[in-house]
Amino acid sequence: MLITKKDFGRTKKGENASLYTLTNKAGMKAVVSDFGAVLVSLFVPDKNGDLKDVVWGYDKVSGYENNGVYLGSTIGRNSNRIGKSKYNLNGKEYTLDKNDGQNNLHGGFDGYNARLWSANTDEINNSVKFMLDSPDMDQGFPGNAKISVTYTLTDDNAIKISYEASADKDTIFNMTNHSYFNLDGESSDSVLEHQVLINADAFTEADAESIPTGKIIDVTDTPMDFRNYRVIGKDIDSDYEPLKFGAGYDHNWVLNKTEGAVAKMRSLNSGITMEVYTDLPGMQLYTGNFLAGEEGKNGKKYARRSAACFETQYFPDAVNHENFQSPIFSAGDKYKTETIYKFTVES
Ligand code: BGC
């Protein structure tokens, strides 16, 4: 399919950013940018066949330069938190930016989501590949790393995000996509009526700063049990300590191993269901508890809890927990992972 490229404005540093639009045979469209390798828009058909843009984002590149809430962001080298902004690797202690209290969040102040990546389009596969060179000790992570993120739009209405990376020293790779989804699109101000399903028997317990304690908690009989569809707003404000700590859902689920979708979200209004597929062990469901009226596309203000993120990942702070699968990759080893967001419609 034809991939179109257009100007997305100039960054503060004077770089020219571009927007790439992918279209499939069903009419679905994905708009991505080489600035931050961000997902800007995702136009999905609803039950009436009308296209709805189901992700929050900005109209101009300047929005993405000041994107404190990480709309549509590619996060790297490490997504989620590292406790006390410290970790030990091969006997050496490394320190990271403290950009979330005492802790490190989403790589630090100089995130991959606010850098210009290079781009290659592939019209045969209907994909755009973004590439970034991350130097040794970038953000506090060792090794010169070559990183790529490829967005592919398939004809069965899935956006596939493929990550590849390797470095010349042992290092951490734990990337994710931080898109905020609302399946009713721009006309909606709340995700609380949406229903979510997560194929997970447990979640990782976290403290008041959202740093894992190392304990894995069974979801049975808790508001964290999403093994059947649960309306997001049903228990979000209940008197349950993890929800108080997170100011709502902002937790990592321990995904059950499955061939199928690890999570789903649906809106009965638009009839759209989103399925999430991944090969990673964890997923943070974050219900936009800290959105506070940021102004986005078409002047829309993104209200608290107006959208939800499904951030597939190694568990938060995994580098500091021996019982969590390690996000450390040896020099020369390949980090290769894929997450798919697939859209279907029920009429
Ligand atoms: C975190 C939230 C944080 C948000 C930033 C999420 O991945 O879990 O706590 O506020 O990112 O937008």
Side-chain angles (χ1 to χ4, degrees), residues 70 76 78 97-99 104-111 113 139 141:
Y70 300 95
N78 184 72
D97 291 343
K98 293 183 175 153
N99 64 331
N104 177 267
L105 177 66
H106 298 327
F109 293 115
D110 185 14
N113 58 303
Q139 303 169 324
F141 297 106

Side-chain angles (χ1 to χ4, degrees), residues 68-70 80-81 105-106 178 180 210 250 284 286 290 311:
V69 294
Y70 300 95
N80 215 310
R81 293 176 174 80
L105 177 66
H106 298 327
H178 204 286
Y180 287 74
S210 293
D250 189 3
Q284 187 95 357
Y286 168 56
F290 304 114
E311 304 159 54

Side-chain angles (χ1 to χ4, degrees), residues 3-5 8 17-22 30-40 72 74 112 115-122 127-133 146-152 159-165 175 177:
I3 298 172
T4 59
K5 178 179 173 186
F8 196 35
S18 301
L19 282 181
Y20 297 83
T21 302
L22 302 160
V31 184
V32 292
S33 176
D34 52 4
F35 187 77
V38 293
L39 176 60
V40 176
T74 290
Y112 290 177
R115 301 188 193 180
L116 192 71
W117 296 51
S118 53
N120 266 342
T121 55
D122 175 347
S127 65
V128 182
K129 180 178 188 173
F130 296 118
M131 290 149 291
L132 184 76
D133 286 332
K146 291 218 169 292
I147 296 166
S148 73
V149 177
T150 305
Y151 289 94
T152 305
I159 183 91
K160 185 162 90 180
I161 311 179
S162 314
Y163 303 82
E164 285 192 20
M175 299 181 64
N177 181 278

Side-chain angles (χ1 to χ4, degrees), residues 45-92:
D46 69 5
K47 63 182 176 194
N48 303 318
D50 297 331
L51 290 180
K52 287 213 149 52
D53 185 359
V54 298
V55 293
W56 290 172
Y58 300 104
D59 288 323
K60 292 190 186 138
V61 72
S62 56
Y64 291 98
E65 290 186 278
N66 303 303
N67 186 5
V69 294
Y70 300 95
L71 302 188
S73 293
T74 290
I75 310 277
R77 252 181 236 192
N78 184 72
S79 55
N80 215 310
R81 293 176 174 80
I82 293 187
K84 304 265 185 290
S85 306
K86 272 190 213 158
Y87 66 95
N88 197 290
L89 175 59
N90 296 334
K92 197 173 155 197

Side-chain angles (χ1 to χ4, degrees), residues 262-330:
V262 294
K264 294 184 189 183
M265 178 160 81
R266 70 179 180 199
S267 159
L268 301 183
N269 277 330
S270 64
I272 298 174
T273 298
M274 177 175 84
E275 297 173 341
V276 184
Y277 297 82
T278 190
D279 46 18
L280 289 165
M283 189 195 76
Q284 187 95 357
L285 168 67
Y286 168 56
T287 50
N289 311 306
F290 304 114
L291 285 177
E294 286 77 10
E295 187 169 333
K297 287 179 277 188
N298 300 316
K300 182 171 176 69
K301 302 251 175 26
Y302 298 133
R304 178 168 196 241
R305 296 179 175 167
S306 59
C309 305
F310 293 75
E311 304 159 54
T312 56
Q313 57 182 358
Y314 288 98
F315 298 173
D317 202 29
V319 67
N320 289 318
H321 295 275
E322 274 180 7
N323 59 329
F324 292 177
Q325 195 178 321
S326 173
I328 294 170
F329 288 77
S330 300

Side-chain angles (χ1 to χ4, degrees), residues 136-174:
D136 188 27
M137 290 312 292
D138 191 6
Q139 303 169 324
F141 297 106
N144 295 294
K146 291 218 169 292
I147 296 166
S148 73
V149 177
T150 305
Y151 289 94
T152 305
L153 181 63
T154 65
D155 282 329
D156 60 353
N157 285 356
I159 183 91
K160 185 162 90 180
I161 311 179
S162 314
Y163 303 82
E164 285 192 20
S166 64
D168 57 4
K169 288 188 184 152
D170 298 0
T171 195
I172 295 177
F173 287 119
N174 180 21

